[in-house]
DNA sequence: CTGGTTGCAAACACTTTGCATGTCG
DNA sequence: CGACATGCAAAGTGTTTGCAACCAG
């Protein structure tokens, strides 16, 4: 319990299978992007992914692929108060693995938090050595009018 | 308890006093921007503020003023998964008035949530008629290394 | 073969900055 | 008067798009 980093790099074969299952063409770029995201245990920005691939494909291709992965719910987009978005794999494993993040305002380091309860959170974060903690909890949904 | 909109428009005099207390020059633009933010009960984007002022001052001035207000902790910056930031007044009243937001993924409507407890949240949001709710809880702070 | 995919360059949206001018205190 | 504030235009980011060449199925 508490804090744990979920780290599960995909083999190329596993990546190909995931793409297959989601009806996505298994091009070199897409396989590599999926592997790259699975290789890190922290959410990546598009340009970080681009650099991890050593620019093997164009930046716009990374953006397009990320968009596609997001639509297929392979990845989750995060907003950690930076000028850009970050993405992490959704481990479709048991149930959609719900967790959150702590990001250091100073060095930008990002760590995962596995529990989902405010009090537990605060304790877990303190245990990590974080100070001057702030949190931001935002909801989205369909309002009464829009929820058809 | 539950949901409530905190709405407290500032008179020009009150706005001037706040600026005074924070050592900010009381120029026409700054007074108007502060009033505009206090007049709405939902967080505003920079260009919404600009339009509310009927372009009485330049967009870059709004950006610069917002930056200054943020530094003085007069306003809070929010990130509601849009391509831009939103800002709302910090009611310095009793203690820093802590609350969150629900935003409709469809129409973009934003409402305030006053309580700060996940379970209460969920119920409150459901009571508002929101469906397909998602939330995002992110922390920032100084990690053990950076927290001097 | 044919539709999806890519690279490239250009376009976008939001935000920041440089500089000359204008205003507050 | 001097410091700060402003308008304007230009530059900077991160992201999106149009198009022709290309590749997977």
């Amino acid at each position: 319990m508490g804090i744990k980093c979920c780290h599960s790099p995909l083999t190329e074969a596993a990546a190909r299978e995931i793409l297959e299952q989601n009806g996505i063409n298994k091009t070199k770029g897409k396989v590599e992007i999926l592997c790259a995201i699975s290789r890190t245990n922290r959410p990546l920005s598009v340009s970080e992914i681009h650099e991890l691939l050593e620019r093997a494909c164009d930046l716009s291709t990374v953006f397009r692929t990320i968009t596609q992965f997001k639509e297929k719910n392979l990845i989750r987009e995060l907003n950690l108060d930076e000028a850009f978005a970050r993405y992490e794999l959704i481990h479709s494993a048991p149930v959609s693995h719900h967790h959150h993040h702590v990001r250091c305002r100073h060095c930008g380091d990002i760590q995962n938090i596995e529990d989902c309860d405010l009090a537990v959170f605060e304790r877990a974060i303190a245990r990590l050595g974080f100070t001057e903690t702030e949190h931001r909890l935002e909801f989205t949904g369909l309002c009464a009018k829009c929820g058809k």
Side-chain angles (χ1 to χ4, degrees), chain A:
Chain A
M1 46 143 292
I3 305 306
K4 200 185 60 172
C5 284
C6 50
H7 189 105
S8 55
L10 296 171
T11 62
E12 184 181 322
R16 286 180 166 279
E17 178 161 353
I18 291 177
L19 295 179
E20 175 73 48
Q21 291 168 349
N22 286 274
I24 299 172
N25 274 3
K26 300 175 282 298
T27 66
K28 187 166 67 74
K30 299 194 176 178
V31 174
E32 284 189 18
I33 291 174
L34 187 50
C35 287
I37 299 177
S38 79
R39 240 181 288 121
T40 6
N41 62 357
R42 57 168 209 132
L44 295 173
S45 68
V46 168
S47 45
E48 281 172 345
I49 297 170
H50 187 222
E51 278 157 27
L52 279 178
L53 303 189
E54 282 162 337
R55 297 176 190 65
C57 66
D58 194 74
L59 186 58
S60 67
T61 299
V62 182
F63 271 108
R64 283 191 268 232
T65 302
I66 287 300
T67 303
Q68 196 183 20
F69 285 2
K70 202 168 43 172
E71 285 165 1
K72 300 285 185 167
N73 274 304
L74 294 183
I75 57 176
R76 180 179 5 246
E77 181 178 302
L78 303 175
N79 214 309
L80 297 165
D81 283 333
E82 296 168 294
F84 43 82
R86 290 185 175 276
Y87 301 88
E88 66 176 8
L89 220 51
I90 295 179
H91 298 62
S92 37
V95 189
S96 84
H97 177 78
H98 184 75
H99 70 271
H100 299 285
H101 305 86
V102 218
R103 168 166 165 273
C104 177
R105 268 197 297 274
H106 189 260
C107 69
D109 183 42
I110 296 165
Q111 298 184 50
N112 293 342
I113 301 177
E114 304 295 329
D115 294 315
C116 185
D117 170 304
L118 278 183
V120 175
F121 273 132
E122 297 290 0
R123 263 180 273 123
I125 292 169
R127 228 180 288 127
L128 276 176
F130 269 79
T131 51
E132 300 185 33
T133 309
E134 277 179 15
H135 68 273
R136 188 149 302 177
L137 176 57
E138 307 290 356
F139 292 84
T140 54
L142 296 181
C143 70
K145 260 180 299 175
C146 298
K148 76 182 159 308

